[in-house]
Amino acid sequence: MTTSGTSGLLRKLEDVARASLLELFFDVVFVFALRALAQQLINNLTWSGAFQTLVLLLAIGWVWSLTARVTGELNPRRPAVQLLIIATMVGALVLSAAVPEAFGKTGLIFAVTYLAIQIGRSLFLAVLLQGHELQNVARRGVIWHAATGVPWLAGAFTSGTVRTALWTLAVALIYAARRFNYPLPGLKRLAGAQLPAGGEYMADRNRALFVIGLGEVILAIGSSLTSRGFATDQTVAFVVTFAGTALIWRIYLFRAGEDIGPAIQASADPDLLGTLVSYAHLVMLAGLVVTSVGAQLVIDDPLGHPRPATTVTILGGTALFLAGRTLLQYLVYDQISRSRCIGLLALACLLPPMLLLPPLINALAGATVLTGIVIADNIRARRHPAPISPPGPHRPSNT
């Protein structure tokens, strides 16, 4: 149901598949967010530091995802919508600035800003969308984000392992709530049709998020080269790390990256598949953040003394990307290519010997694995000009 007061707020059907300039402006903030996450990781290059970075990535990714869904449903030309997005941008900038010390002195700033963005957006929409069925989604969002505010704020007043555990709980709760369409006792469960935009629009927005991740890797490579200069070993490291980034782009784009939209539209549960596709992109985004840190480590000291943390970072970023990309292929085509599985296995086998070799050789090994996958993709494309199975009809189960 739509009232006359909200009809002008909704995007026209023909505009839903295209991102507006306002949305692209909003995306720019997340280049800074990913840069901050990379800084948090490189300052805490341990397993616990990596896990903390993951928690922060999931929180920031959730801000981006919900905002993308809102802009997919609402008319970006309306002043109220523009105000909402710009306010979210301001909040996202503060949130990102708090990331490097989020598990230290800026923890309270991070938690309060995150909750202000999420609860504030939902409250604003609950008022703006009076009389429309999407108001139910906004109201549920207020309740669920307020509930997760308890562990967020409790964690902000603690430190160390306790803060990590409480914030992990908060992130897990909100992702689980979204998976089950924000369930509330005594209220009918939301249908997928009542949730914000999916299909080709969300496919396009997820591709945009991946490009933002690539932008962070390029920024890390360029910044490191600028700070370290153009010595021979740094120049070689630059070529190898950039080549690896280009190979990641090529592997992402090959078929599944282009067929996300049709797969979502053909699914028996488009909203669920769209959500799972977003999760696959978050895995790949995590890989790109780790890859950007690895690129910095390679260019800063290409022939330096081997360190386990450096080797795991360099090869781990590639492995995370391949894992997310393999999941995406399964979601789109309901099958997995052997080349990506072989690539993951090769990275695992390479890890022990790479622990004894300098960063540049580690990066070269990872790029070699990616090159093998690209070659395998090109061979498969020549043998099978069309996808082995069409995009869809993959029908993920609710169980």
Side-chain angles (χ1 to χ4, degrees):
M1 179 178 67
T2 303
T3 67
S4 59
T6 61
S7 59
L9 287 170
L10 302 180
R11 294 184 77 161
K12 295 179 181 179
L13 184 61
E14 60 269 21
D15 292 335
V16 172
R18 298 196 303 269
S20 67
L21 290 176
L22 178 63
E23 291 162 286
L24 297 177
F25 182 40
F26 173 76
D27 287 347
V28 173
V29 173
F30 284 84
V31 176
F32 174 55
L34 296 183
R35 183 91 287 265
L37 286 166
Q39 190 62 47
Q40 147 73 17
L41 179 58
I42 205 168
N43 290 342
N44 303 276
L45 207 55
T46 62
W47 287 113
S48 61
F51 184 80
Q52 290 172 348
T53 303
L54 174 62
V55 172
L56 298 177
L57 170 64
L58 291 174
I60 290 174
W62 192 241
V63 171
W64 184 91
S65 179
L66 289 187
T67 306
R69 285 178 173 268
V70 167
T71 54
E73 191 72 27
L74 302 182
N75 183 354
R77 295 184 178 88
R78 291 294 295 267
V81 178
Q82 293 173 354
L83 176 63
L84 174 62
I85 302 307
I86 291 174
T88 303
M89 289 176 66
V90 173
L93 280 170
V94 175
L95 191 70
S96 302
V99 161
E101 294 291 335
F103 285 90
K105 61 184 179 181
T106 59
L108 183 60
I109 295 174
F110 184 91
V112 170
T113 304
Y114 170 83
L115 292 172
I117 293 171
Q118 303 291 47
I119 297 174
R121 182 204 301 109
S122 296
L123 283 172
F124 187 86
L125 291 174
V127 174
L128 193 65
L129 296 170
Q130 287 187 15
H132 192 278
E133 60 186 7
L134 288 176
Q135 187 182 37
N136 295 326
V137 182
R139 287 171 174 170
R140 288 169 184 257
V142 172
I143 295 171
W144 267 103
H145 283 109
T148 61
V150 175
W152 274 114
L153 293 176
F157 286 103
T158 60
S159 60
T161 304
V162 177
R163 178 179 294 182
T164 302
L166 287 170
W167 284 8
T168 300
L169 174 63
V171 168
L173 284 174
I174 199 63
Y175 273 82
R178 174 62 184 89
R179 167 63 182 83
F180 295 103
N181 295 344
Y182 303 113
L184 289 173
L187 294 180
K188 181 181 177 182
R189 181 178 172 181
L190 290 174
Q194 292 177 275
L195 295 168
E200 185 58 43
Y201 174 81
M202 286 309 298
D204 185 62
R205 299 301 288 133
N206 277 299
R207 285 191 288 261
L209 182 62
F210 183 80
V211 171
I212 292 170
L214 286 177
E216 155 55 18
V217 180
I218 296 299
L219 180 61
I221 292 172
S223 298
S224 296
L225 184 64
T226 300
S227 63
R228 302 300 294 182
F230 292 85
T232 301
D233 52 352
Q234 263 81 30
T235 302
V236 173
F238 160 75
V239 171
V240 171
T241 53
F242 182 82
T245 307
L247 290 166
I248 285 174
W249 165 80
R250 178 64 182 84
I251 291 169
Y252 172 81
L253 190 64
F254 183 74
R255 288 183 174 167
E258 296 178 326
D259 289 338
I260 299 169
I264 294 175
Q265 294 300 123
S267 172
D269 191 342
D271 182 71
L272 175 58
L273 184 54
T275 299
L276 295 176
V277 164
S278 295
Y279 293 167
H281 278 80
L282 272 177
V283 176
M284 288 186 282
L285 195 63
L288 291 176
V289 171
V290 177
T291 297
S292 74
V293 172
Q296 291 180 71
L297 295 172
V298 173
I299 296 175
D300 284 349
D301 195 7
L303 301 176
H305 185 74
R307 291 195 306 145
T310 300
T311 299
V312 171
T313 300
I314 294 168
L315 297 183
T318 302
L320 270 174
F321 162 71
L322 286 180
R325 182 57 178 76
T326 301
L327 175 60
L328 179 64
Q329 183 183 24
Y330 175 75
L331 292 172
V332 172
Y333 295 121
D334 202 13
Q335 61 179 276
I336 297 173
S337 68
R338 285 178 295 179
S339 64
R340 285 158 180 73
C341 293
I342 293 172
L344 285 168
L345 180 61
L347 289 170
C349 293
L350 283 169
L351 180 59
M354 288 299 116
L355 291 171
L356 306 174
L357 297 171
L360 180 58
I361 304 302
N362 295 173
L364 187 59
T368 300
V369 171
L370 294 175
T371 300
I373 294 173
V374 169
I375 291 172
D377 285 346
N378 289 336
I379 292 173
R380 189 162 65 253
R382 286 197 296 269
R383 291 177 179 174
H384 306 281
I388 296 173
S389 62
H394 179 69
R395 295 178 172 85
S397 170
N398 284 321
T399 60

